[in-house]
Amino acid sequence: MRSRVIRLLLRKELLDVFRDRKAIIMLVLVPLLIYPLIFFGSFAVMTMIQSSMEKGEYKVIVDTEDDGALMKQIAAYNTKKASDDKKSDEKKSDDMASDNSSEDADIEQIEAVNLEKFLQDSDYKLTDDTLSTKLALVEDILQDEAADVYVMSEVDEDGRITYITKYVSSITDSDYAETIIKDILDDLSEVETKEAIEAAGLDADEITHPFGIKRQNIASTEQSAGSLLGMILPFMLVVSLLMGTMYPAIDTTAGEKERGTLETLLTLPIRNHEMILAKFLTVALMGIISALLNIVSMGFMIFYLVKLVQSEAASSLGFDLKNFNFASFLPASLVTILAIMAFSLFISAVTMCITALAKSYKEANNYITPLTLVVMLTGYIGFIPNIELTNRMAMIPVANICLLVKNLLLFKADLGPTAIVLLTNVMYAGLAIMLLSRIYDSESVLFDEGRGGLQLFEKRSNIVAGGTPTTGDAWFIVFFVMIIYLYAGSILQMNYGLTGIFASQLIVLLIPLIMVIYTKRSIKKTYSFKLAKLTSTLGSVLLFIGAFLMENILSTMLYQFFPEAFEDTNSGLLELLGGDNIWIAFLVVAVTPAICEEMMFRGFILSGFRSKYRKWTSIVLSAFIFGVYHTSLIRLVPTMMLGICFAMIVYYTGSIFPAMAMHCLNNSIAVVEMYNPGWLEDNFPLIFGANDSVIASVIIGAISVVITFAGVRVLQMTSRGRSKVDRK
């Protein structure tokens, strides 16, 4: 790869980006001006509203039979409120206190009047004394905002009084006034409770407070600050990175198509991967710059908040600025920067893949909207309490970055999940770059009216029926189903257990099937619905046995290094299944995935890849996606090996049914081991007990190679009768 060419291309792309005013506005003005204005403006408005509500006056109609007890308590509240306001003013300014104290003392925040007096002073008239008529009139008064709250009482046979408050929650003054009345009623209840206890000759304080409570928050000042930042900062970072990469990605892909400069660029003596790398680095760099500017902007806002918390009113947040150690956040800041860089690589590659399919700036904006919604909604995960960064969550895009940054700010990030987050983002970025390179290698994708072979955006009337999905269709399903499965599938499994697992498998089955039907593809050819010959089935069995033995040896080796990861996976699945019905487990874990996953990965995706890619590229790529789909870094390679086996079976036999059968058999073995631990090892020690002996492992490995080779040869011989067109 020629570094000088890449540097020249990178310089060219950067100059193009910085000439775009829209990109500069989104890159500089939004983080440095818009966000602070939004923050300070909303903060000022909220402060003003809160202040006006605390200083406001509210009218309450009191219609109770309590000998004036509520009226007295309201008067006591008004007196205390005026006294508190006076003390607050004295702290601000002695001069202002002398001027305002007399005014505040005369103000009654709650103006309490009985119903008869209110009706005398208003135009509202009570036509009769029935309760229904009275309540209907009260509703009109409250809806007209002539009064804010109405309080009535009921007395039961034992003389116990019940207060009933009526208010309109959709009216701000009415809703706020009701909260004040509720506090006043709580105070009244406490006063009358003490009076009743003292009347009985007992110590009211000792009975109402039999023990004392002292709360001691042992969280450090840094932890308290990190807890607050951990909710806000991750969301702002992922959104700012998306916004920072979105417009450069559109400009370097769809923008060049619209300007007509892409054709000229492709005619230069440069290689496609050099051009792609330069564009990718440009977009990623813009994302990092945008994120850093956002951090500077948020740092300024945090500094402002720090100044605010010096006041007594904000001391409840747990900040002690005198002992605040900013250096303690240095390790978290360094890892956060690494996370920003990793996520920038991922989000840049994804946005470029999406925008590369568009022909114009406007069209690219439409394409990028779903990604924006997904990123923003996922970014809210940082606001949800008690969601931990587990190894599984560490593999979910966007969510993993948010949870990692949150954990870093809380000083509780573990090395394992942190490494998985960084590695998976880089890995996902690499996968997206592979897709991007395929897009730029295909003129049909770059310039075709069919939008890069993605039939979904074609008018259905223009689609010619028949054939198999295009490569664009396959990649679209890969990303779309993966996103839906990771988010919706996780929620379904956590909330609905067994039913959720079954529903998540239906996601994998139905979304590609719906696309096949919409794009008028041949279901038979797409899913290879064809009966296999007996010899082909025999070859499939031999190939599976060989691959299974290899996968078992590899899994056993990995188990020696990561035993907890394997045990946690099995115990978690067993818990979801209910743990006591092996037949239900067989249906959900063996049969359902064998049908649903095979139809997606060896049906839709493999047939889509085979329409453009070579044999082994299609097989290995579909197997790798199959491994990633299972969201287990430990099981990625073993699962990928089985995926290659199943893809080879479909390729050589032309039928998906043997692959389904082998998939079901593989998962059935896992179900047996899950419900009867040690049974397979006791009955088949040579195969499942190979971890106890190196010699046994070598023997099994040699046998697996021989069986695999035999299976491949049988499949190759039986497939010679099929035409080249059919195999392709």
Side-chain angles (χ1 to χ4, degrees), residues 282-324:
T282 299
V283 176
L285 182 61
M286 292 299 101
I288 293 173
I289 292 174
S290 176
L292 293 177
L293 289 176
N294 273 275
I295 291 176
V296 172
S297 177
M298 285 183 282
F300 174 72
M301 291 186 286
I302 292 169
F303 177 78
Y304 178 77
L305 285 174
V306 167
K307 290 296 184 182
L308 286 180
V309 299
Q310 294 181 14
S311 64
E312 182 180 349
S315 61
S316 59
L317 291 174
F319 292 97
D320 181 10
L321 298 178
K322 295 180 180 179
N323 300 320
F324 194 87

Short mmCIF file of all heavy atoms in Angstrom, two decimals, residues 282-324:
data_model
loop_
_atom_site.label_atom_id
_atom_site.label_comp_id
_atom_site.label_asym_id
_atom_site.label_seq_id
_atom_site.Cartn_x
_atom_site.Cartn_y
_atom_site.Cartn_z
N THR A 282 -10.62 10.01 6.84
CA THR A 282 -11.17 11.37 6.90
C THR A 282 -12.42 11.42 7.75
O THR A 282 -12.55 12.27 8.64
CB THR A 282 -11.49 11.87 5.47
OG1 THR A 282 -10.30 11.88 4.70
CG2 THR A 282 -12.09 13.27 5.52
N VAL A 283 -13.34 10.50 7.48
CA VAL A 283 -14.60 10.49 8.23
C VAL A 283 -14.34 10.18 9.70
O VAL A 283 -14.91 10.82 10.60
CB VAL A 283 -15.57 9.46 7.63
CG1 VAL A 283 -16.85 9.37 8.45
CG2 VAL A 283 -15.90 9.84 6.18
N ALA A 284 -13.48 9.19 9.98
CA ALA A 284 -13.18 8.84 11.37
C ALA A 284 -12.52 10.00 12.10
O ALA A 284 -12.82 10.28 13.27
CB ALA A 284 -12.27 7.61 11.42
N LEU A 285 -11.61 10.71 11.42
CA LEU A 285 -10.94 11.86 12.04
C LEU A 285 -11.94 12.96 12.35
O LEU A 285 -11.87 13.60 13.42
CB LEU A 285 -9.85 12.38 11.09
CG LEU A 285 -9.02 13.56 11.61
CD1 LEU A 285 -8.28 13.17 12.89
CD2 LEU A 285 -8.04 14.03 10.54
N MET A 286 -12.89 13.20 11.44
CA MET A 286 -13.91 14.21 11.70
C MET A 286 -14.76 13.83 12.91
O MET A 286 -15.15 14.68 13.72
CB MET A 286 -14.81 14.38 10.47
CG MET A 286 -14.13 15.00 9.25
SD MET A 286 -13.49 16.67 9.56
CE MET A 286 -11.75 16.32 9.80
N GLY A 287 -15.05 12.55 13.04
CA GLY A 287 -15.82 12.09 14.19
C GLY A 287 -15.08 12.31 15.49
O GLY A 287 -15.66 12.76 16.49
N ILE A 288 -13.77 12.01 15.50
CA ILE A 288 -12.98 12.20 16.72
C ILE A 288 -12.87 13.68 17.07
O ILE A 288 -13.00 14.07 18.24
CB ILE A 288 -11.58 11.59 16.52
CG1 ILE A 288 -11.69 10.06 16.41
CG2 ILE A 288 -10.65 11.96 17.67
CD1 ILE A 288 -10.39 9.38 16.04
N ILE A 289 -12.66 14.54 16.06
CA ILE A 289 -12.59 15.98 16.32
C ILE A 289 -13.90 16.48 16.89
O ILE A 289 -13.93 17.26 17.86
CB ILE A 289 -12.24 16.74 15.02
CG1 ILE A 289 -10.81 16.42 14.59
CG2 ILE A 289 -12.40 18.24 15.21
CD1 ILE A 289 -10.43 17.01 13.24
N SER A 290 -15.01 16.03 16.31
CA SER A 290 -16.33 16.44 16.81
C SER A 290 -16.52 16.00 18.25
O SER A 290 -17.03 16.76 19.09
CB SER A 290 -17.43 15.86 15.92
OG SER A 290 -18.71 16.17 16.42
N ALA A 291 -16.13 14.75 18.57
CA ALA A 291 -16.29 14.25 19.93
C ALA A 291 -15.44 15.05 20.91
O ALA A 291 -15.89 15.38 22.02
CB ALA A 291 -15.91 12.77 19.99
N LEU A 292 -14.20 15.37 20.52
CA LEU A 292 -13.32 16.14 21.41
C LEU A 292 -13.87 17.54 21.63
O LEU A 292 -13.80 18.07 22.75
CB LEU A 292 -11.91 16.19 20.82
CG LEU A 292 -11.16 14.85 20.77
CD1 LEU A 292 -9.79 15.02 20.12
CD2 LEU A 292 -11.02 14.26 22.16
N LEU A 293 -14.41 18.15 20.58
CA LEU A 293 -15.02 19.48 20.75
C LEU A 293 -16.23 19.40 21.67
O LEU A 293 -16.49 20.31 22.47
CB LEU A 293 -15.43 20.05 19.40
CG LEU A 293 -14.28 20.50 18.48
CD1 LEU A 293 -14.82 20.94 17.13
CD2 LEU A 293 -13.49 21.63 19.12
N ASN A 294 -16.98 18.31 21.57
CA ASN A 294 -18.11 18.12 22.47
C ASN A 294 -17.65 17.96 23.91
O ASN A 294 -18.29 18.45 24.84
CB ASN A 294 -18.93 16.91 22.04
CG ASN A 294 -19.98 17.23 21.01
OD1 ASN A 294 -21.08 17.65 21.35
ND2 ASN A 294 -19.63 17.08 19.75
N ILE A 295 -16.53 17.25 24.10
CA ILE A 295 -16.00 17.10 25.45
C ILE A 295 -15.59 18.45 26.02
O ILE A 295 -15.84 18.75 27.19
CB ILE A 295 -14.80 16.12 25.44
CG1 ILE A 295 -15.29 14.71 25.14
CG2 ILE A 295 -14.05 16.15 26.76
CD1 ILE A 295 -14.18 13.69 25.00
N VAL A 296 -14.95 19.30 25.18
CA VAL A 296 -14.59 20.64 25.63
C VAL A 296 -15.83 21.44 26.01
O VAL A 296 -15.88 22.11 27.05
CB VAL A 296 -13.79 21.38 24.53
CG1 VAL A 296 -13.57 22.84 24.90
CG2 VAL A 296 -12.46 20.69 24.30
N SER A 297 -16.85 21.34 25.15
CA SER A 297 -18.09 22.06 25.42
C SER A 297 -18.74 21.57 26.70
O SER A 297 -19.18 22.37 27.55
CB SER A 297 -19.06 21.89 24.24
OG SER A 297 -20.30 22.51 24.50
N MET A 298 -18.81 20.25 26.86
CA MET A 298 -19.42 19.70 28.07
C MET A 298 -18.56 19.99 29.30
O MET A 298 -19.08 20.16 30.40
CB MET A 298 -19.63 18.20 27.90
CG MET A 298 -20.80 17.85 27.00
SD MET A 298 -21.09 16.06 26.89
CE MET A 298 -19.80 15.59 25.76
N GLY A 299 -17.22 20.06 29.10
CA GLY A 299 -16.36 20.43 30.22
C GLY A 299 -16.66 21.82 30.72
O GLY A 299 -16.65 22.07 31.94
N PHE A 300 -16.94 22.72 29.79
CA PHE A 300 -17.32 24.08 30.19
C PHE A 300 -18.63 24.08 30.97
O PHE A 300 -18.78 24.76 31.99
CB PHE A 300 -17.44 24.96 28.95
CG PHE A 300 -17.96 26.35 29.23
CD1 PHE A 300 -17.16 27.28 29.87
CD2 PHE A 300 -19.24 26.71 28.84
CE1 PHE A 300 -17.64 28.56 30.13
CE2 PHE A 300 -19.72 27.98 29.10
CZ PHE A 300 -18.92 28.92 29.74
N MET A 301 -19.59 23.28 30.49
CA MET A 301 -20.87 23.20 31.19
C MET A 301 -20.70 22.56 32.57
O MET A 301 -21.34 22.97 33.54
CB MET A 301 -21.88 22.41 30.34
CG MET A 301 -22.32 23.13 29.08
SD MET A 301 -23.64 22.27 28.19
CE MET A 301 -22.74 20.91 27.48
N ILE A 302 -19.83 21.53 32.64
CA ILE A 302 -19.58 20.89 33.94
C ILE A 302 -18.93 21.86 34.91
O ILE A 302 -19.25 21.90 36.10
CB ILE A 302 -18.70 19.64 33.73
CG1 ILE A 302 -19.49 18.56 32.98
CG2 ILE A 302 -18.21 19.08 35.07
CD1 ILE A 302 -18.64 17.41 32.49
N PHE A 303 -17.99 22.69 34.38
CA PHE A 303 -17.36 23.70 35.23
C PHE A 303 -18.41 24.66 35.79
O PHE A 303 -18.36 25.06 36.96
CB PHE A 303 -16.32 24.46 34.42
CG PHE A 303 -15.65 25.58 35.17
CD1 PHE A 303 -14.65 25.30 36.09
CD2 PHE A 303 -16.02 26.90 34.97
CE1 PHE A 303 -14.03 26.31 36.79
CE2 PHE A 303 -15.41 27.92 35.67
CZ PHE A 303 -14.41 27.64 36.59
N TYR A 304 -19.38 25.00 34.95
CA TYR A 304 -20.46 25.87 35.41
C TYR A 304 -21.28 25.18 36.49
O TYR A 304 -21.65 25.80 37.50
CB TYR A 304 -21.34 26.25 34.22
CG TYR A 304 -22.53 27.10 34.58
CD1 TYR A 304 -22.38 28.46 34.85
CD2 TYR A 304 -23.81 26.56 34.65
CE1 TYR A 304 -23.48 29.26 35.18
CE2 TYR A 304 -24.91 27.32 34.98
CZ TYR A 304 -24.73 28.68 35.24
OH TYR A 304 -25.82 29.45 35.57
N LEU A 305 -21.56 23.89 36.30
CA LEU A 305 -22.30 23.15 37.31
C LEU A 305 -21.52 23.05 38.62
O LEU A 305 -22.09 23.12 39.71
CB LEU A 305 -22.63 21.74 36.79
CG LEU A 305 -23.74 21.64 35.75
CD1 LEU A 305 -23.83 20.20 35.24
CD2 LEU A 305 -25.07 22.08 36.32
N VAL A 306 -20.20 22.87 38.49
CA VAL A 306 -19.35 22.81 39.69
C VAL A 306 -19.45 24.09 40.49
O VAL A 306 -19.50 24.08 41.72
CB VAL A 306 -17.89 22.51 39.29
CG1 VAL A 306 -16.95 22.76 40.46
CG2 VAL A 306 -17.76 21.07 38.82
N LYS A 307 -19.50 25.21 39.78
CA LYS A 307 -19.66 26.48 40.48
C LYS A 307 -21.02 26.55 41.17
O LYS A 307 -21.15 27.11 42.27
CB LYS A 307 -19.54 27.64 39.48
CG LYS A 307 -18.13 27.85 38.95
CD LYS A 307 -17.17 28.26 40.05
CE LYS A 307 -15.78 28.55 39.51
NZ LYS A 307 -14.84 28.90 40.61
N LEU A 308 -22.03 25.97 40.53
CA LEU A 308 -23.37 26.00 41.13
C LEU A 308 -23.43 25.17 42.40
O LEU A 308 -24.07 25.56 43.38
CB LEU A 308 -24.41 25.48 40.13
CG LEU A 308 -24.79 26.40 38.98
CD1 LEU A 308 -25.82 25.71 38.11
CD2 LEU A 308 -25.35 27.72 39.49
N VAL A 309 -22.77 24.02 42.39
CA VAL A 309 -22.89 23.13 43.53
C VAL A 309 -22.15 23.64 44.76
O VAL A 309 -22.21 23.02 45.82
CB VAL A 309 -22.40 21.70 43.19
CG1 VAL A 309 -23.20 21.11 42.09
CG2 VAL A 309 -20.91 21.70 42.86
N GLN A 310 -21.43 24.74 44.61
CA GLN A 310 -20.82 25.34 45.79
C GLN A 310 -21.86 25.94 46.72
O GLN A 310 -21.61 26.15 47.90
CB GLN A 310 -19.82 26.43 45.37
CG GLN A 310 -18.62 25.90 44.61
CD GLN A 310 -17.65 27.00 44.23
OE1 GLN A 310 -17.73 28.11 44.73
NE2 GLN A 310 -16.73 26.69 43.34
N SER A 311 -23.05 26.21 46.16
CA SER A 311 -24.10 26.81 46.97
C SER A 311 -24.70 25.78 47.91
O SER A 311 -24.64 24.58 47.68
CB SER A 311 -25.19 27.38 46.07
OG SER A 311 -25.80 26.35 45.35
N GLU A 312 -25.29 26.26 48.96
CA GLU A 312 -25.90 25.38 49.96
C GLU A 312 -27.06 24.61 49.37
O GLU A 312 -27.33 23.47 49.74
CB GLU A 312 -26.37 26.23 51.14
CG GLU A 312 -26.97 25.44 52.28
CD GLU A 312 -27.42 26.32 53.43
OE1 GLU A 312 -27.07 27.50 53.44
OE2 GLU A 312 -28.13 25.79 54.31
N ALA A 313 -27.77 25.21 48.41
CA ALA A 313 -28.95 24.56 47.83
C ALA A 313 -28.59 23.30 47.08
O ALA A 313 -29.41 22.40 46.94
CB ALA A 313 -29.66 25.54 46.89
N ALA A 314 -27.32 23.21 46.58
CA ALA A 314 -26.93 22.04 45.79
C ALA A 314 -26.04 21.08 46.56
O ALA A 314 -25.49 20.15 46.00
CB ALA A 314 -26.21 22.49 44.52
N SER A 315 -25.89 21.28 47.84
CA SER A 315 -25.02 20.42 48.63
C SER A 315 -25.52 18.98 48.70
O SER A 315 -24.76 18.07 48.97
CB SER A 315 -24.88 20.98 50.05
OG SER A 315 -26.16 21.02 50.68
N SER A 316 -26.81 18.79 48.45
CA SER A 316 -27.38 17.44 48.51
C SER A 316 -26.85 16.53 47.41
O SER A 316 -27.03 15.31 47.46
CB SER A 316 -28.92 17.51 48.40
OG SER A 316 -29.28 18.13 47.18
N LEU A 317 -26.19 17.10 46.38
CA LEU A 317 -25.64 16.28 45.31
C LEU A 317 -24.43 15.47 45.76
O LEU A 317 -24.01 14.55 45.08
CB LEU A 317 -25.24 17.16 44.12
CG LEU A 317 -26.39 17.82 43.35
CD1 LEU A 317 -25.84 18.76 42.31
CD2 LEU A 317 -27.28 16.78 42.72
N GLY A 318 -23.88 15.80 46.91
CA GLY A 318 -22.77 15.02 47.44
C GLY A 318 -21.40 15.49 47.01
O GLY A 318 -20.43 14.75 47.11
N PHE A 319 -21.28 16.73 46.52
CA PHE A 319 -20.00 17.25 46.07
C PHE A 319 -19.29 17.99 47.19
O PHE A 319 -19.89 18.79 47.89
CB PHE A 319 -20.18 18.21 44.89
CG PHE A 319 -20.65 17.53 43.64
CD1 PHE A 319 -21.99 17.52 43.32
CD2 PHE A 319 -19.76 16.91 42.79
CE1 PHE A 319 -22.43 16.90 42.16
CE2 PHE A 319 -20.19 16.29 41.65
CZ PHE A 319 -21.53 16.29 41.33
N ASP A 320 -18.02 17.69 47.36
CA ASP A 320 -17.18 18.44 48.27
C ASP A 320 -15.99 18.93 47.47
O ASP A 320 -14.99 18.23 47.29
CB ASP A 320 -16.72 17.54 49.43
CG ASP A 320 -15.85 18.30 50.42
OD1 ASP A 320 -15.77 19.53 50.30
OD2 ASP A 320 -15.26 17.64 51.30
N LEU A 321 -16.10 20.15 46.94
CA LEU A 321 -15.12 20.65 45.99
C LEU A 321 -13.74 20.84 46.61
O LEU A 321 -12.73 20.80 45.91
CB LEU A 321 -15.61 21.97 45.39
CG LEU A 321 -16.91 21.86 44.59
CD1 LEU A 321 -17.32 23.22 44.08
CD2 LEU A 321 -16.75 20.90 43.45
N LYS A 322 -13.69 21.03 47.90
CA LYS A 322 -12.39 21.23 48.54
C LYS A 322 -11.54 19.97 48.45
O LYS A 322 -10.32 20.04 48.37
CB LYS A 322 -12.59 21.63 50.01
CG LYS A 322 -13.28 22.99 50.17
CD LYS A 322 -13.44 23.32 51.64
CE LYS A 322 -14.13 24.67 51.82
NZ LYS A 322 -14.32 25.01 53.25
N ASN A 323 -12.19 18.81 48.48
CA ASN A 323 -11.47 17.54 48.44
C ASN A 323 -11.57 16.84 47.09
O ASN A 323 -11.24 15.66 46.97
CB ASN A 323 -11.99 16.60 49.54
CG ASN A 323 -11.81 17.19 50.92
OD1 ASN A 323 -10.79 17.81 51.21
ND2 ASN A 323 -12.81 17.01 51.78
N PHE A 324 -12.07 17.54 46.08
CA PHE A 324 -12.29 16.92 44.78
C PHE A 324 -10.96 16.69 44.08
O PHE A 324 -10.15 17.62 43.93
CB PHE A 324 -13.19 17.80 43.91
CG PHE A 324 -13.74 17.09 42.70
CD1 PHE A 324 -14.90 16.36 42.79
CD2 PHE A 324 -13.07 17.17 41.49
CE1 PHE A 324 -15.41 15.71 41.68
CE2 PHE A 324 -13.58 16.52 40.38
CZ PHE A 324 -14.74 15.79 40.48
#
